Amino acid sequence: MTEKWLNIALPKGRLGEKAYGILEDAGYDCPQIREESRRLIFESEENRVRYFWVKPSDVAIYVQRGSADLGIVGSDILMEYNPDVYELTDLGIGRCVMAVAGSKDYREDPDSVLRVATKFPNIARKYYSGIGREIDIIKLNGSIELAPILGLSDVIVDIVETGKTLRENGLMPYEQIVPVSARLIANTVSYKFAYEQVTRLVRAVENVLRERKEKR
Ligand code: PRP
């Protein structure tokens, strides 16, 4: 029986390129993807695999709805949107932390409602309800660091990778909420009906991760 094509959603950008590097080493290469281009879909007839570049926060949507069988997504997105997908493996790339940050001289007033700017309202709400702090969420879509500088919020809840963005804007991390890394996820139906193909890919990926770890 000929195998079905596996559709894989990759997050556009540096994380997606790293993730593709793992899949390439695992034997799921598609050389055209390395060529500079604006194309969004790439196929390898030989490996029966089709990759597409999507906005990182959209990967789980493609996978949940079955347009992609598999995808690579940050655990921050999984926590925030809680999509109905299977999480297969931690790729150990795209490591960063979800943190509370703010200006160096900000002094919190426990009697007032804390204004929190973030791209991750659900994560922020859960964190603050866990510590019993009343907050007002200000949902932004990027450049979150601007909010406390311009007085739009008291603090931010955001991803910190190197800490450079915070430092260069005179901010500092206060609390770590949760570590973040990239995960391989699967559509629940594809997992069932293409079980062998999917598990073969997962095993190959895990071997690559093991080999890379041993080399370090
Ligand atoms: C992310 C995050 C921080 C920055 C952290 O932003 O929101 O701004 O990276 O990285 P660092 O600790 O290495 O400086 P992203 O590049 O996704 O842009 P945006 O949130 O402004 O869209």
Side-chain angles (χ1 to χ4, degrees):
M1 200 179 79
T2 50
E3 295 202 310
K4 97 179 208 76
W5 282 77
L6 279 182
N7 291 313
I8 305 182
L10 292 170
K12 237 192 229 180
R14 218 157 34 96
L15 177 65
E17 277 159 32
K18 276 194 193 168
Y20 172 70
I22 294 174
L23 289 157
E24 191 177 40
D25 288 356
Y28 294 84
D29 54 301
C30 179
Q32 293 167 333
I33 217 168
R34 294 273 185 208
E35 291 162 20
E36 283 283 314
S37 110
R38 291 245 165 193
R39 268 177 60 189
L40 298 173
I41 303 190
F42 297 89
E43 292 183 351
S44 163
E45 173 83 55
E46 195 192 338
N47 295 320
R48 307 285 290 172
V49 73
R50 184 180 295 117
Y51 290 102
F52 32 89
W53 293 116
V54 312
K55 200 174 151 79
S57 51
D58 290 342
V59 168
I61 299 174
Y62 283 85
V63 175
Q64 176 170 332
R65 290 179 171 264
S67 302
D69 302 298
L70 297 167
I72 313 292
V73 63
S75 54
D76 51 337
I77 307 286
L78 296 178
M79 270 184 82
E80 178 63 24
Y81 298 102
N82 198 20
D84 185 14
V85 296
Y86 291 144
E87 200 180 310
L88 303 179
T89 196
D90 184 344
L91 297 178
I93 53 173
R95 284 188 195 279
C96 49
V97 288
M98 183 66 65
V100 180
S103 105
K104 289 189 177 111
D105 40 52
Y106 174 68
R107 293 286 164 268
E108 200 181 319
D109 171 6
D111 296 327
S112 70
V113 175
L114 187 72
R115 295 170 307 152
V116 181
T118 187
K119 268 195 281 194
F120 303 94
N122 293 325
I123 293 176
R125 241 179 246 121
K126 195 166 167 208
Y127 171 72
Y128 281 105
S129 88
I131 58 171
R133 182 77 166 95
E134 204 185 335
I135 59 165
D136 176 17
I137 295 270
I138 299 158
K139 166 80 169 72
L140 297 176
N141 299 299
S143 301
I144 316 295
E145 292 81 0
L146 274 176
I149 299 171
L150 300 181
L152 179 64
S153 74
D154 300 314
V155 298
I156 62 173
V157 165
D158 199 16
I159 291 298
V160 181
E161 193 180 347
T162 59
K164 199 165 174 227
T165 312
L166 290 181
R167 274 195 306 278
E168 292 195 357
N169 290 289
L171 305 177
M172 60 180 285
Y174 299 149
E175 306 281 345
Q176 294 199 359
I177 298 179
V178 68
V180 170
S181 61
R183 308 295 160 92
L184 177 64
I185 57 169
N187 171 266
T188 54
V189 177
S190 308
Y191 186 75
K192 205 166 155 193
F193 289 99
Y195 182 77
E196 279 180 22
Q197 259 178 288
V198 170
T199 42
R200 199 184 318 133
L201 181 143
V202 172
R203 263 187 237 119
V205 162
E206 285 174 345
N207 281 337
V208 170
L209 298 177
R210 206 169 304 120
E211 278 165 24
R212 287 187 177 190
K213 212 170 179 181
E214 282 163 11
K215 272 192 206 142
R216 261 190 263 139

